[in-house]
Amino acid sequence: MNFAKRALLATLASLPLGMAFAQDAFPSRPITIVVPYPAGGTSDSQVRMIQEPLQKLLGQPVVVDNKPGASGAIAAQAVARAKADGYTLLYPNNGLLIAPLLNRQAGYEPLRDFKPVSVTTSVPMVLVANKGVPANNLNEFLQYAKAQANGIMYASAGTASYGHLASTRLSQMANLKVNHVPYRGEANTTMAVRTGEVQMLLTTPSPAMLGLVSQGQLTMLGVATDKPSPVVPGVPTIASVLPGFTAEVWFGLLAPAGTPDDVVNKLNAAVKKVMADETIRNKMLASGAVPRTTSSTEFMSLMTRETVMWSQLIAKHNIRAD
């Protein structure tokens, strides 16, 4: 072996492995997006809307892997323990933050175990009342509610659900006396407020609910966004009466903690380009979701703020999961 070859090998041997041998540019193989809920649900439907355009932009197959169970913890654990290389991603919603606050055995820590890529959409919550409540707007409703000696009844899709937590925060900010009635699923909560079993419901708007509003069976009181939402055009914000109150279910992509910045940046750029596409935006809006994107840092800030907010609320009201 001549001197030049020996010198080259010595130089390569002295370098870290990742520097000595050039790695394939990301991505060089299929990417898996793990969905914490069953096929056909909101999360799954959204991922499948962006699956094909992401494949075209990244030049590799994007595989959807549904891992439902344990309030999303099964999927979260799987991604948290995956190799931090950008090839295994999680598509959660706010429930990712809430589950470990209610269950210390969830098996993951959101702010520690994940590196955010970008928010993709948000679904606003709306406040509706039974038609028998003498109120045409939120101010009138709050006056009515405060006048009830025994308080008012409100529904949620279950104890410690996002609707339960958001309604608790609403009643706290409005200084209302309320009684929580948990049901199983959103369809049952809509039926409960329509029949008058409860007077109030704060939830994401379904086509069935919006149909009842248009028929005069329910009264739409407000949308829980900081500015009017295209999902429910013309509906005033709750924040216009209760400054600072918002409640939106966000969805987004997370990578395992430790994923290289350049990989996250490439994924972030691809997500932003997909979500800016008019066809994708229209599909999302038609499903009731508002397209939105963030930087990785902005997403982490959002997760941090919400973790603090829900942690304090859960502790103050001693909320426990069923």
Side-chain angles (χ1 to χ4, degrees), residues 133-146:
V133 173
N136 295 311
N137 55 54
L138 182 54
N139 272 317
E140 291 178 359
F141 177 80
L142 294 179
Q143 292 172 12
Y144 162 82
K146 290 177 180 179

Side-chain angles (χ1 to χ4, degrees), residues 130 153-154 181 183 188 191-199:
N130 174 264
M153 312 284 280
Y154 77 90
V181 184
Y183 291 82
N188 292 328
M191 180 62 70
V193 72
R194 186 187 72 80
T195 61
E197 290 180 18
V198 300
Q199 290 78 52

Side-chain angles (χ1 to χ4, degrees), residues 19 37 39 44 65 81 119-120 138 157 164 188 196 201 204-205 231 242 255 268 285 289 299 305 310 320:
M19 292 177 64
Y37 304 102
D44 179 71
D65 183 10
R81 296 168 184 170
V119 170
T120 53
L138 182 54
H164 179 199
N188 292 328
L201 173 63
T204 53
V231 173
L242 294 174
N268 179 274
L285 286 169
F299 195 180
R305 290 195 307 271
W310 296 130
R320 295 289 183 268

Side-chain angles (χ1 to χ4, degrees), residues 124-126 205 210 220 222-225 228-236 290:
M125 302 194 86
V126 295
L210 296 177
M220 178 71 74
V223 59
T225 48
S229 173
V231 173
V232 282
V235 175
V290 180

Side-chain angles (χ1 to χ4, degrees), residues 235-255:
V235 175
T237 65
I238 296 173
S240 64
V241 176
L242 294 174
F245 180 82
T246 59
E248 299 179 71
V249 179
W250 50 253
F251 297 82
L253 277 174
L254 300 176

Side-chain angles (χ1 to χ4, degrees), residues 12 14 35 86 88 208 306:
L12 289 174
S14 68
V35 178
T88 305
E306 287 201 5

Side-chain angles (χ1 to χ4, degrees), residues 127 138-139 141-148 150-152 154 167-179 200 242 317:
L127 183 66
L138 182 54
N139 272 317
F141 177 80
L142 294 179
Q143 292 172 12
Y144 162 82
K146 290 177 180 179
Q148 307 309 301
N150 296 322
I152 61 168
Y154 77 90
S167 298
T168 300
R169 183 166 178 259
L170 174 69
S171 62
Q172 177 180 292
M173 292 180 66
N175 194 29
L176 297 181
K177 182 178 180 181
V178 295
N179 301 289
M200 179 185 96
L242 294 174
H317 295 276

Side-chain angles (χ1 to χ4, degrees), residues 83-143:
K83 188 174 181 180
D85 55 9
Y87 289 99
T88 305
L89 307 173
L90 182 68
Y91 196 81
N93 57 30
N94 314 54
L96 175 87
L97 308 180
I98 295 170
L101 298 176
L102 297 165
N103 177 15
R104 293 184 179 179
Q105 306 304 315
Y108 68 93
E109 291 289 342
L111 304 182
R112 179 198 67 195
D113 294 338
F114 300 101
K115 189 165 187 175
V117 175
S118 176
V119 170
T120 53
T121 68
S122 62
V123 179
M125 302 194 86
V126 295
L127 183 66
V128 294
N130 174 264
K131 67 176 182 179
V133 173
N136 295 311
N137 55 54
L138 182 54
N139 272 317
E140 291 178 359
F141 177 80
L142 294 179
Q143 292 172 12

